[in-house]
Amino acid sequence: MQSGDPAERVAALEALRDSPHRASHAASALALVGDNEHDVAWAALLLLHTLEPDELAPHADALIDQLESVGASLRWRGIEVLGGLAPDELALRVQHMLPWLSHAEEDVRRRAAELLGALEPAELARWVGSLLPLLDDEDEDVRLSTVEVLGKLPPPALQSNVGALRAKLTDEEGFVRMATVGALARLPAAALEAEVSGVIDRLGDGEWRVRRAAMELLAALDAPVLVPHADNVLARLSHADPRVREWAVAVIHKLLAGAVSCRLPPSCTRAASRRMRTASHSHPHATRILTNPPHSHPTHNPPLSYPTPTPLLP
């Protein structure tokens, strides 16, 4: 690997990636991360990325130092290498990695956020304050990765930061909105109830993936949680997406089934009946559904299964 020919150095590094003795050459590969030839430095990082966590750990501090003096493309690749550390080893070095969250290059910021996501959830909660500013990053991929990482927080920590996360339900990027719905699904049940209205609103989203994510979250909720939102559910009976309409029918049937079988407390049963019948005046389709519970549907229109919604297609 000490050849004066860059191509030969690259070839040597590539050959070592498949060698059972590659760990013994880690120090030499680490030195080449600072090579003047980009291809050589890249090949050195690829070799380091093949190391087992315990093999990488002795070289982690030196790698962090090396990454301070390389270009952005090598830096984000090096950050990915550090993601191969065991969570406890990674936790020892978080303080040195935080500046990467505000790096000028979006790829570095994104990988740095994802690196924090490799921490154990309890350790991740310690650094959530450093991640929150990235929710408003100008780069959509940085925002997406940040939302996904926040979704790994322990439920109590997620609940403490739900206000910042909730705002991403209306992010301009559909994948960010979809990831936000997925993150909210990990909230404790009591906290999730407060977010149901915002999630139901995503059923009107212009992106089918977001609508699907919202339906999947709402499908797992118990009937009492959905009762206060019956009006909003009924409004979806006129949605342009037939799968959203099917979802609304299934939810209404779920509420009715809960009432019939006494799974709902009497107060909830009365509230469901009152809200659904009031809303039916402005939603003509509701009358037919309210008067035709699932078991009375004709054979050519079998009842929808619930809670699993019909898969959406793009």
Side-chain angles (χ1 to χ4, degrees), residues 234-246:
L234 285 166
R236 307 301 160 182
L237 292 170
S238 301
H239 196 283
D241 186 340
R243 294 162 185 83
V244 174
R245 297 198 299 271
E246 289 178 1

Side-chain angles (χ1 to χ4, degrees), residues 199-205 211 214-215 218 236 239 244 247:
V199 175
I200 290 179
D201 286 345
R202 287 303 95 209
L203 295 175
D205 199 279
R211 299 195 297 272
M215 283 189 285
L218 296 166
R236 307 301 160 182
H239 196 283
V244 174
W247 172 87

Side-chain angles (χ1 to χ4, degrees), residues 1-281:
M1 290 189 290
Q2 304 304 317
S3 170
D5 185 348
E8 291 182 1
R9 296 201 296 279
V10 170
L13 288 164
E14 290 176 344
L16 283 172
R17 287 211 301 267
D18 297 323
S19 170
H21 307 294
R22 59 184 176 274
S24 62
H25 297 279
S28 298
L30 182 61
L32 291 176
V33 171
D35 197 279
N36 291 331
E37 292 289 336
H38 181 277
D39 290 349
V40 175
W42 187 269
L45 288 170
L46 290 179
L47 172 58
L48 293 172
H49 207 183
T50 65
L51 299 179
E52 295 296 327
D54 60 325
E55 297 171 337
L56 177 61
H59 307 284
D61 294 330
L63 177 57
I64 291 172
D65 291 340
Q66 281 274 46
L67 295 181
E68 294 304 317
S69 59
V70 300
S73 64
L74 292 174
R75 185 171 300 185
W76 67 252
R77 193 70 183 88
I79 293 173
E80 287 187 337
V81 173
L82 291 169
L85 290 169
D88 58 333
E89 291 285 348
L90 187 60
L92 297 174
R93 300 168 172 87
V94 172
Q95 195 70 49
H96 301 288
M97 303 170 184
L98 294 182
W100 295 336
L101 293 171
S102 55
H103 194 275
E105 291 290 333
E106 60 270 17
D107 285 335
V108 174
R109 298 195 301 275
R110 177 164 67 89
R111 264 61 174 215
E114 292 169 352
L115 185 61
L116 292 185
L119 295 166
E120 293 290 350
E123 180 67 19
L124 173 62
R126 293 183 55 201
W127 307 103
V128 66
S130 298
L131 279 169
L132 291 179
L134 294 183
L135 287 174
D136 296 318
D137 196 276
E138 62 183 14
D139 184 81
E140 61 193 40
D141 290 329
V142 175
R143 299 196 304 275
L144 173 59
S145 291
T146 303
V147 169
E148 291 174 341
V149 170
L150 291 175
K152 298 179 180 181
L153 287 168
L158 184 62
Q159 181 176 354
S160 298
N161 296 280
V162 71
L165 193 59
R166 183 190 304 124
K168 296 293 99 182
L169 282 173
T170 54
D171 190 274
E172 63 184 25
E173 169 54 42
F175 283 105
V176 176
R177 299 194 298 274
M178 179 181 69
T180 301
V181 173
L184 291 175
R186 299 193 65 252
L187 284 168
L192 181 56
E193 288 186 28
E195 308 305 322
V196 169
S197 179
V199 175
I200 290 179
D201 286 345
R202 287 303 95 209
L203 295 175
D205 199 279
E207 294 282 345
W208 69 271
R209 294 177 181 85
V210 181
R211 299 195 297 272
R212 180 181 65 183
M215 283 189 285
E216 289 175 349
L217 185 158
L218 296 166
L221 299 178
D222 293 330
V225 177
L226 294 170
V227 166
H229 307 281
D231 294 359
N232 205 344
V233 172
L234 285 166
R236 307 301 160 182
L237 292 170
S238 301
H239 196 283
D241 186 340
R243 294 162 185 83
V244 174
R245 297 198 299 271
E246 289 178 1
W247 172 87
V249 171
V251 170
I252 293 169
H253 285 161
K254 183 176 187 178
L255 292 174
L256 290 173
V260 170
S261 63
C262 299
R263 287 199 294 270
L264 287 172
S267 60
C268 289
T269 301
R270 289 193 296 271
S273 176
R274 182 171 60 254
R275 287 174 179 270
M276 294 168 75
R277 294 182 191 285
T278 298
S280 68
H281 294 301

